[in-house]
Amino acid sequence: VQLVESGGGSVQVGGSLRLSCTASGLIFDDHVIGWFRQAPGKEREGISCISSTGAYTYYADSVKDRFTISRDKAKNTVYLQMNSLKSEDTAVYYCAVDLGVWDFRRPCQVRAYDYWGQGTQVTVSS
């Protein structure tokens, strides 16, 4: 299984980016997918996750109402649309797959995810 993130880059405060995560060796629609980020000196955190059917989504408070997670079955791709970016959104962003079922209590726990991409850098500057 290989996950590849793309779409990162440098953007000014208030700007937008759309991250993509594609997979080989695995059908995304069968699994829970999550987006995580890790800023320098900080722990990796789950920011948005989506259930296998797309019926359930989770957003961390820090990104709620600014980020949107979605999946495209035909392209076997999951997206993270990021709007109104802030400097504190600067981090390496990772997508990951959870081979288990949707956890209604804590759907975006790092330790629950089984496969990870290499990450893509997002830098937001003023």
Side-chain angles (χ1 to χ4, degrees), residues 11-17 66 82-87 89 124-126:
V11 64
Q12 291 190 324
V13 170
S16 298
L17 286 172
R66 299 188 299 122
M82 306 188 296
N83 299 328
S84 302
L85 283 162
K86 305 176 180 180
S87 57
D89 294 319
V124 185
S125 58
S126 56

Side-chain angles (χ1 to χ4, degrees), residues 4-93:
V4 178
E5 304 95 339
S6 61
S10 296
V11 64
Q12 291 190 324
V13 170
S16 298
L17 286 172
R18 188 177 77 159
L19 304 183
S20 300
C21 176
T22 58
S24 58
L26 177 142
I27 299 175
F28 264 165
D29 266 20
D30 294 340
H31 303 292
V32 176
I33 309 297
W35 282 100
F36 300 79
R37 69 185 181 188
Q38 187 165 18
K42 295 188 177 181
E43 293 186 354
R44 191 171 298 188
E45 61 171 339
I47 56 172
S48 185
C49 298
I50 187 167
S51 63
S52 58
T53 63
Y56 305 108
T57 56
Y58 164 88
Y59 295 95
D61 288 343
S62 57
V63 305
K64 199 170 292 183
D65 299 325
R66 299 188 299 122
F67 291 10
T68 303
I69 191 170
S70 61
R71 53 199 314 160
D72 185 324
K73 178 178 181 178
K75 295 182 178 180
N76 204 32
T77 300
V78 174
Y79 302 100
L80 185 68
Q81 178 67 44
M82 306 188 296
N83 299 328
S84 302
L85 283 162
K86 305 176 180 180
S87 57
E88 51 263 44
D89 294 319
T90 295
V92 178
Y93 284 70

